[in-house]
Amino acid sequence: MSSVEELTIALEHDIDEQYQYQPGEVIRGEVRIKVARPTALRIVTIRVVGEGTVSWREEGEGSIHQADEKYLDASKVVLDTKDSQPHNLDPGYHEFSFEYLLPENLPSSYIGKFGNVTYTMKATVAGVKSIDTAITSEPFLILRRAVLPEQALQPAALSQEKRLWGSCTFGKISAQVSVEARGGVPGEDLFMHAQIKNHSQRTVTAMQASLVMLSTYHARKNTTHFRQVVSKKRDEFDVGHNLGRRWNYVRLTIPPYIPETHLDHCDIIEIDYFFQFRVEISGGAELKVELPFLIGSHLPGQESRRRPEGQQDSGSAMNRQWTVRAKGFPLEDLDGDHVPMDLGEPQQWGWSSGVPELRGPERAVMNNPLFRQGSFRNAREVKSVPEEQMENTRL
């Protein structure tokens, strides 16, 4: 039985205790090992990997289109005993620290229908005895701090009407919608106003405001799209002839961990957003208006967290201790990679080599905001606004 009971990666950060970073920041952390009895180690390595993949099948059981990109692949030996005696650990916990300067040209994390952009820290511990070898991994978020343009802060007004036939006569349903901005910051609220007027014999059965994400995936010369609603406010209420429905200061929350518009520095995935307002009408009809919507992580005038100029050289020196793998190799090669040191034995220490992946008991559920909900705390001051109102009107 292996003496390595726990193997975890603990990353340091100061935003709500989440593993969330932006390009150009330094990741600092520790590889933590718990051994049950005296154990001799030969090597401990840490590796950081960032990659994007897309894959989809054409309708009708057609061909599969795939593409991948590698944004980051660097490793560092935090314990090396190749030219010395093995490192002996007493029973209990032991820590090995590391730090890595993230490049500036990384795309934001993203998980979608036909593709994703993910970042992971991976640690390997190799003991003198092969049974005392284990691996672990810890995902983390990259979110670019894209500054919204000034026009994103401008309000917008939309209107639409639809003529309908019912009860042997024509009538119309109209919608007027206004939003207080054409763009927003993840985790904040978009405030909107709406007025529905029903001068038809049909019945309005529901109103819905949504933030829609349009993802475009590229694989060589092939392209596919996928639209999904990432946030919505729905109002199910029957509005009959010569009646209306009014919204005042209704809030539509922008999800906290969605990437910025376009997904910069990713060539196989593009992202666009739309504000959509839809009126559902009896008989299967609908009235719909849409407005392009920009997502950024900073408003104009807000400073991005950057390293001071004097730290540029120290950051470069920091990364000289890491071995960078060549970019552009196929993702399937990842499982066959060697730890970048000669272990003196003809073994591969890849991530699918059969070595158990270990986590502490408290890590049984992944502690990462990309994979769980309700973990965001808005750092900006919440402005005071009137109470949200949804009410009927008589025409």
Side-chain angles (χ1 to χ4, degrees), residues 43-264:
I43 190 170
V44 177
T45 63
I46 187 74
R47 180 180 175 191
V48 56
V49 177
E51 57 201 20
T53 63
V54 298
S55 178
W56 74 91
R57 182 188 293 273
E58 293 289 350
E59 293 184 5
E61 298 299 321
S63 57
I64 297 177
H65 303 295
Q66 295 177 314
D68 55 69
E69 291 181 327
K70 183 60 64 65
Y71 312 112
L72 186 62
D73 193 353
S75 60
K76 179 182 179 180
V77 178
V78 294
L79 172 67
D80 176 22
T81 65
K82 183 183 68 171
D83 298 323
S84 61
Q85 294 297 315
H87 186 78
N88 295 309
L89 301 182
D90 295 327
Y93 285 95
H94 303 269
E95 299 175 346
F96 300 89
S97 62
F98 63 88
E99 55 184 11
Y100 178 75
L101 174 63
L102 291 167
E104 297 280 356
N105 59 341
L106 299 178
S108 293
S109 300
Y110 165 83
I111 292 180
K113 175 71 173 179
F114 300 119
N116 57 66
V117 175
T118 57
Y119 297 89
T120 310
M121 279 282 182
K122 303 180 179 183
T124 301
V125 172
V128 172
K129 298 179 180 179
S130 60
I131 197 173
D132 294 331
T133 299
I135 65 172
T136 191
S137 60
E138 186 68 45
F140 62 94
L141 288 175
I142 294 291
L143 292 177
R144 297 191 66 82
R145 295 297 184 259
V147 178
L148 289 169
E150 290 285 350
Q151 58 265 32
L153 305 184
Q154 301 301 314
L158 307 169
S159 63
Q160 183 68 274
E161 66 178 30
K162 191 177 187 72
R163 290 178 58 84
L164 298 162
W165 175 262
S167 300
C168 300
T169 183
F170 278 105
K172 69 178 181 180
I173 295 176
S174 62
Q176 294 179 324
V177 186
S178 64
V179 291
E180 295 191 351
R182 300 167 184 261
V185 175
E188 297 191 342
D189 290 328
L190 173 67
F191 295 91
M192 54 191 165
H193 308 265
Q195 175 73 56
I196 298 299
K197 296 180 180 181
N198 186 0
H199 290 291
S200 77
Q201 298 299 321
R202 301 278 191 96
T203 300
V204 171
T205 58
M207 300 159 55
Q208 178 173 300
S210 307
L211 182 62
V212 180
M213 174 192 288
L214 172 62
S215 301
T216 303
Y217 303 92
H218 302 284
R220 296 179 175 85
K221 295 183 179 180
N222 302 289
T223 299
T224 191
H225 306 276
F226 185 76
R227 288 170 64 103
Q228 64 188 108
V229 173
V230 296
S231 182
K232 70 180 181 180
K233 178 65 65 96
R234 187 169 176 84
D235 180 18
E236 295 185 353
F237 199 97
D238 287 350
V239 180
H241 176 63
N242 280 341
L243 295 176
R245 186 79 169 160
R246 180 189 297 129
W247 285 8
N248 285 321
Y249 293 100
V250 173
R251 298 164 176 80
L252 181 65
T253 299
I254 302 173
Y257 294 108
I258 58 175
E260 78 284 359
T261 300
H262 303 315
L263 196 63
D264 291 338

